Amino acid sequence: MARSKEQNERMRETRKEKIRNAALLQFVKQGLSATRIQDIATEAGIAQGLLYHYYPSKEEIFVDLINDALDKTIEASYSVRDMETGPGEKIRFALERLVETIEHSQTFLDTCRLITQATNSTAIPQQAQVLIQEKRNIPYQVIEKIIAAGQIEGTIVAGDPKMLSIFFWTSINGLAIYYSTNNNREVKLDYRVIASMFLIKNEKEEEGEK
Amino acid sequence: MARSKEQNERMRETRKEKIRNAALLQFVKQGLSATRIQDIATEAGIAQGLLYHYYPSKEEIFVDLINDALDKTIEASYSVRDMETGPGEKIRFALERLVETIEHSQTFLDTCRLITQATNSTAIPQQAQVLIQEKRNIPYQVIEKIIAAGQIEGTIVAGDPKMLSIFFWTSINGLAIYYSTNNNREVKLDYRVIASMFLIKNEKEEEGEK
DNA sequence: TGATATATTGAATTTATATTCAATATATCA
DNA sequence: TGATATATTGAATATAAATTCAATATATCA
């Protein structure tokens, strides 16, 4: 016998992650189809042959990445849902954090780009399509419920919660997509502009700003 | 001599347009790289060989399509700029029309998707990259100016006009991208939700709605 | 240290797609 | 109608990328 089983497993997983990171970079820049195995291998600093010891194809890497990306957005929406505050404050806080994240986290932008890319293409693996089908709507549903609760609470504007949830996520996603190619450091984003679509204006707070 | 020159030119242009339409459909569904010449030819109902009589490559078609798409969005923003109303009303009207168009025009959704795809990929022809560089920001600048004028007029909220213009277009684009794969007919979109990010609330109008 | 399992490479092969091209069809005008 | 230019096809060829594989390197444990 040579190496211990667990040690091997760990090394293997580390290397796979290195490959996934390299692939993510390339997929986000070029898209799945335009990315060649060679591109991923070069980015990861390995020979293309080695890649096949870890993944049978670039499509399999894509499936792993899409799964991770979808889980991340679902987790983020759950952490908002589980906050110990009222629904209005949840929406305010979530938008504040999301806008901040768009400005500062390249990983978040990559995640948004990958999901948008996958959602808008039929040229992706069957497995990825299934994952999107299963998971994509969860964040929309989570926000929809918070908005409905906020309307009862009296802190969120009237209107179909489904529609408001669509506006919530499409604004954030549109912004992330834009920022991923225009890292516009001259402009500081104010999340309260987006928040004003959802939150009923509080007279006192408005006074405070002036 | 066989056929008249002009007649030939017209026929040629008609056929080229048929090919462009087929290519647009495929590019929007699969992206540039995943679309094969054969896909476009089949969609257009011709043999692949014939395609080369009209375009030297799929990349050339893509450049034509991107140019058209960019010109369309620029034209749309100019028509808003040239309206005979105050800036606040321009923004309100533009959003009303844009949301309506998202709900009803597949062509508009395709245009948004194509531009987003091109803007978010380095795997597109050099020429397309140049066109995007040159033309992409024009609609942002047009809306920025209207917003700045609206702030002076007193109908548009305070805040960096550049930032507000980014929120304007990224919200619309995010919505269009979402709608192009989720033609959610159960939900009727209300443009006033987006408008509330930009327009100062008019007490009288609000009363009217209740 | 040597036996063994796994990692790693890059060239050889396979497969997919783009591109060319010879053959044929069709439309127009004299 | 026949001469001519252009349209059209699909098979032949070229090109690019994916995949395999034999050769070699490296790490671990007895």
Side-chain angles (χ1 to χ4, degrees):
Chain A
M1 211 180 281
R3 217 165 297 170
S4 78
K5 278 274 161 65
E6 331 85 69
Q7 203 171 7
N8 261 324
E9 267 311 302
R10 249 182 300 126
M11 283 180 62
R12 223 184 135 72
E13 199 36 59
T14 307
R15 186 50 69 97
K16 279 182 91 168
E17 195 173 324
K18 199 174 159 191
I19 291 172
R20 275 201 298 276
N21 287 152
L24 177 60
L25 231 67
Q26 291 296 313
F27 289 157
V28 160
K29 274 192 206 157
Q30 317 198 54
L32 173 61
S33 305
T35 300
R36 290 159 303 155
I37 290 281
Q38 181 61 69
D39 294 332
I40 301 171
T42 303
E43 182 77 46
I46 60 176
Q48 55 179 337
L50 185 54
L51 210 138
Y52 288 92
H53 274 256
Y54 298 96
Y55 280 101
S57 68
K58 63 179 178 175
E59 278 74 18
E60 293 283 330
I61 310 176
F62 190 83
V63 170
D64 267 16
L65 286 171
I66 273 293
N67 195 35
D68 284 0
L70 289 166
D71 284 348
K72 269 189 206 166
T73 51
I74 290 172
E75 269 319 304
S77 70
Y78 283 165
S79 79
V80 172
R81 180 194 62 186
D82 297 337
M83 280 174 65
E84 302 280 335
T85 65
E89 173 59 14
K90 285 181 187 174
I91 293 294
R92 191 204 63 74
F93 180 78
L95 287 172
E96 184 174 19
R97 286 295 296 277
L98 284 165
V99 169
E100 201 184 294
T101 310
I102 286 170
E103 287 184 308
H104 301 303
S105 162
Q106 190 58 49
T107 310
F108 181 74
L109 299 185
D110 289 347
T111 301
C112 288
R113 265 175 91 164
L114 194 76
I115 292 177
T116 301
Q117 195 186 110
T119 310
N120 282 278
S121 175
T122 58
I124 58 164
Q126 179 64 34
Q127 258 190 291
Q129 303 207 15
V130 172
L131 287 170
I132 287 167
Q133 195 68 31
E134 287 171 357
K135 298 182 174 183
R136 187 197 183 190
N137 287 123
I138 295 174
Y140 284 83
Q141 287 157 3
V142 168
I143 294 298
E144 182 188 333
K145 272 190 194 154
I146 297 173
I147 284 173
Q151 289 173 334
I152 291 165
E153 185 193 45
T155 51
I156 287 183
V157 300
D160 180 357
K162 219 183 266 300
M163 170 191 76
L164 291 170
S165 168
I166 290 171
F167 282 138
F168 180 100
W169 283 119
T170 59
S171 298
I172 290 298
N173 194 51
L175 195 60
I177 294 300
Y178 176 86
Y179 257 68
S180 71
T181 55
N182 291 264
N183 207 327
N184 220 327
R185 300 204 177 281
E186 5 154 15
V187 177
K188 170 82 181 89
L189 297 176
D190 185 345
Y191 80 93
R192 290 172 302 180
V193 176
I194 299 186
S196 69
M197 277 197 284
F198 308 106
L199 302 179
I200 289 172
K201 279 204 180 136
N202 182 321
E203 299 297 330
K204 224 189 275 176
E205 278 178 38
E206 255 193 293
E207 291 299 316
E209 280 172 42
K210 280 174 190 167
Chain B
M1 209 182 286
R3 217 165 296 169
S4 77
K5 277 275 162 68
E6 331 86 70
Q7 202 170 6
N8 261 325
E9 266 313 299
R10 250 182 298 124
M11 283 180 63
R12 224 183 136 73
E13 198 37 57
T14 306
R15 188 50 72 99
K16 278 182 92 168
E17 195 173 324
K18 199 173 159 192
I19 291 170
R20 276 200 298 276
N21 286 151
L24 176 60
L25 231 68
Q26 291 296 312
F27 289 156
V28 161
K29 274 193 205 157
Q30 317 199 53
L32 172 62
S33 304
T35 300
R36 290 160 302 155
I37 290 283
Q38 182 61 69
D39 294 333
I40 302 172
T42 303
E43 182 76 46
I46 60 177
Q48 54 179 338
L50 184 55
L51 209 139
Y52 288 91
H53 274 257
Y54 297 96
Y55 279 101
S57 68
K58 63 179 179 176
E59 279 73 19
E60 292 284 331
I61 310 176
F62 190 83
V63 170
D64 267 16
L65 286 171
I66 273 294
N67 195 35
D68 284 0
L70 289 166
D71 284 350
K72 269 189 208 166
T73 51
I74 291 172
E75 270 318 304
S77 71
Y78 284 166
S79 79
V80 172
R81 180 194 64 186
D82 298 337
M83 277 174 65
E84 302 281 335
T85 65
E89 172 60 14
K90 284 181 189 174
I91 294 294
R92 191 204 62 73
F93 180 78
L95 287 172
E96 183 174 18
R97 285 295 295 276
L98 284 165
V99 170
E100 201 184 293
T101 309
I102 286 170
E103 287 183 309
H104 301 302
S105 161
Q106 190 58 47
T107 309
F108 181 75
L109 298 185
D110 290 346
T111 302
C112 288
R113 267 176 89 164
L114 194 77
I115 293 177
T116 300
Q117 196 186 109
T119 309
N120 282 279
S121 175
T122 58
I124 57 164
Q126 178 64 33
Q127 258 190 292
Q129 303 207 15
V130 172
L131 287 170
I132 287 167
Q133 195 68 30
E134 287 171 358
K135 298 184 174 182
R136 189 198 182 190
N137 286 124
I138 295 174
Y140 284 83
Q141 287 158 2
V142 168
I143 293 297
E144 183 188 334
K145 272 189 195 155
I146 297 174
I147 284 174
Q151 289 172 335
I152 292 165
E153 185 193 46
T155 51
I156 287 183
V157 300
D160 180 357
K162 220 183 266 302
M163 171 191 76
L164 291 170
S165 169
I166 290 170
F167 282 137
F168 181 99
W169 282 119
T170 59
S171 298
I172 289 298
N173 194 50
L175 194 61
I177 294 300
Y178 176 87
Y179 257 68
S180 72
T181 55
N182 292 264
N183 206 328
N184 220 327
R185 300 204 177 282
E186 6 153 15
V187 176
K188 170 84 181 86
L189 298 176
D190 185 346
Y191 80 94
R192 291 172 303 181
V193 176
I194 300 186
S196 69
M197 277 197 283
F198 308 106
L199 302 180
I200 289 172
K201 279 205 181 135
N202 182 324
E203 299 296 330
K204 222 190 276 173
E205 278 177 38
E206 253 193 293
E207 291 299 317
E209 278 172 43
K210 280 175 192 166

